[in-house]
Amino acid sequence: MRILKTLLAASLAAFSLAAAAQSTWPDHPIALVVPFAAGGPTDVVARMIAIPMSKSLGQTVAVENAVGAGGTIAATKVARAKPDGYTIFLHHMGMSTAPALYKKLQFDPLKDFEYIGQVVDVPMTLLARKDFPAENFAELRDYLKTNGNKVSLANAGLGAVSHLCGLLFMSQMGVELTTVPFSGTGPAMNALLGKQVDLLCDQTTQTVPLIKSGRVKVFGVTVPNRLEVLPDVPTLDEQGLKGFEVKVWHGMYAPKGTPPQVIEKLNAALKVAMQDPDVKRRLTELSSDIAPMDKISPQGLKTQLESEINRWGPVIRKAGVYAD
Ligand code: ASP
């Protein structure tokens, strides 16, 4: 009996400690882990929404870049982090392609995370360094046919969307280019601007200002319709790459076991951030679509992730691309 009483007292104490921790959460800064290098598209979105999220949570949401292996290093780190609400994670659709791409994945996207909500959907653009010897898509096609073995295509590692877009491009064009991996498309873009690499497929969250200012050459957008902010840039589909479509969805996660009350508060802060007029204006300028409100929810993200894992798994396995 005494043992029972002691056990009961101990579990009650633990329960009230946990409850107290939840009611005071957040009482110190929250790390928002980003799986790619600073300055790149995912980082741009994270830093944009961290500001209004910090305001509504009353604590700093500090972006932390944990780069490598196409985003899987950061996902592993978050999966193993303490589920106390002080570590959250912004990743894109790489979360759904990783299980098929990596044979020895150290995390399970469907078991190791709590879902906070979907964030934003972003198209991509196919770019070249400014002095690349092709002026339009037709010239690019001709050039790659005869000089493909000399051309480099930058990406952010296996499973990065720049990698997937590049794979799709090479397979539809029937060419094999030399791929050059970086820790994110931030550094990959610096290499393109510095003329150290030839081509890069990257999200509009980074590329729109560079296209508009003429610092890079653009050959097409990766969605079926032209973008309002770049009306003169044709789609890859309309230039002959039929059905070419890559639109990058993003989600926000926390480690499995993060208390539901904390997830609720994080979700509310994310919703506020996505309705912030400044965030809305900047994302619109960067041709990025804020997820519909009902999808900025744990269930919205879970459904999306499950259906994307089912969509990509067979495609990737058929292509036979993977890391040991
Ligand atoms: N564009 C991503 C980034 O660096 C990387 C990628 O998935 O290509 O934010």
Side-chain angles (χ1 to χ4, degrees):
M1 194 59 189
R2 189 180 295 159
I3 292 177
L4 249 184
K5 267 191 186 160
T6 318
L7 275 177
L8 195 65
S11 61
L12 273 177
F15 179 77
S16 53
L17 265 181
Q22 281 163 37
S23 66
T24 56
W25 181 92
D27 63 8
H28 62 271
I30 297 162
L32 172 55
V33 178
V34 168
F36 299 105
T42 315
D43 184 73
V44 165
V45 174
R47 288 176 199 274
M48 208 186 286
I49 61 180
I51 300 166
M53 280 188 80
S54 303
K55 259 191 220 154
S56 56
L57 291 167
Q59 276 295 339
T60 305
V61 173
V63 172
E64 193 183 302
N65 303 84
V67 307
T72 58
I73 287 180
T76 305
K77 180 182 158 110
V78 175
R80 292 179 183 162
K82 211 168 163 198
D84 56 6
Y86 291 102
T87 304
I88 55 176
F89 185 36
L90 179 73
H91 197 358
H92 58 44
M93 59 196 249
M95 199 65 163
S96 61
T97 55
L101 284 170
Y102 286 83
K103 278 192 167 169
K104 292 180 192 137
L105 206 59
Q106 305 287 318
F107 66 92
D108 183 336
L110 293 173
K111 291 198 182 128
D112 295 340
F113 299 91
E114 303 291 344
Y115 308 106
I116 299 168
Q118 282 191 54
V119 179
V120 71
D121 293 342
V122 186
M124 301 186 85
T125 46
L126 179 69
L127 308 175
R129 61 181 158 83
K130 200 170 161 31
D131 57 352
F132 189 79
E135 290 312 315
N136 51 46
F137 191 78
E139 286 184 21
L140 174 69
R141 191 189 280 275
D142 289 345
Y143 187 82
L144 294 185
K145 248 186 224 154
T146 41
N147 299 283
N149 57 349
K150 287 192 241 154
V151 173
S152 58
L153 171 64
N155 67 36
L158 192 79
V161 284
S162 43
H163 170 247
L164 293 171
C165 179
L167 281 181
L168 208 58
F169 175 70
M170 289 191 285
S171 101
Q172 291 209 17
M173 295 284 279
V175 293
E176 193 73 46
L177 311 174
T178 305
T179 52
V180 186
F182 289 82
S183 59
T185 50
M189 184 62 80
N190 286 338
L192 194 79
L193 293 168
K195 300 170 185 158
Q196 290 130 19
V197 291
D198 298 314
L199 303 176
L200 170 67
C201 187
D202 200 17
Q203 287 117 293
T204 54
T205 25
Q206 167 160 256
T207 66
V208 166
L210 297 168
I211 294 170
K212 284 191 165 169
S213 61
R215 295 180 67 202
V216 289
K217 252 181 204 174
V218 59
F219 290 116
V221 298
T222 65
V223 284
N225 297 309
R226 290 190 184 202
L227 308 178
E228 251 172 58
V229 299
L230 297 170
D232 301 330
V233 180
T235 68
L236 291 174
D237 176 281
E238 77 185 77
Q239 299 180 97
L241 300 188
K242 284 292 156 220
F244 197 107
E245 182 167 5
V246 186
K247 194 159 189 184
V248 188
W249 61 271
H250 295 67
M252 189 174 277
Y253 306 81
K256 188 82 189 168
T258 304
Q261 298 88 327
V262 169
I263 295 293
E264 231 171 79
K265 288 184 191 168
L266 284 164
N267 172 263
L270 176 61
K271 277 190 172 135
V272 169
M274 300 320 287
Q275 287 168 292
D276 179 273
D278 199 39
V279 168
K280 274 182 155 174
R281 179 187 53 76
R282 290 175 67 199
L283 286 173
T284 307
E285 284 168 6
L286 299 173
S287 195
S288 305
D289 300 330
I290 291 172
M293 275 301 139
D294 62 321
K295 294 201 173 167
I296 308 180
S297 63
Q299 190 55 46
L301 177 55
K302 185 170 185 281
T303 308
Q304 173 76 0
L305 182 65
E306 282 168 354
S307 87
E308 285 282 285
I309 288 176
N310 291 334
R311 175 161 89 102
W312 284 104
V315 177
I316 292 166
R317 280 189 284 275
K318 194 167 162 218
V321 196
Y322 56 82
D324 285 320

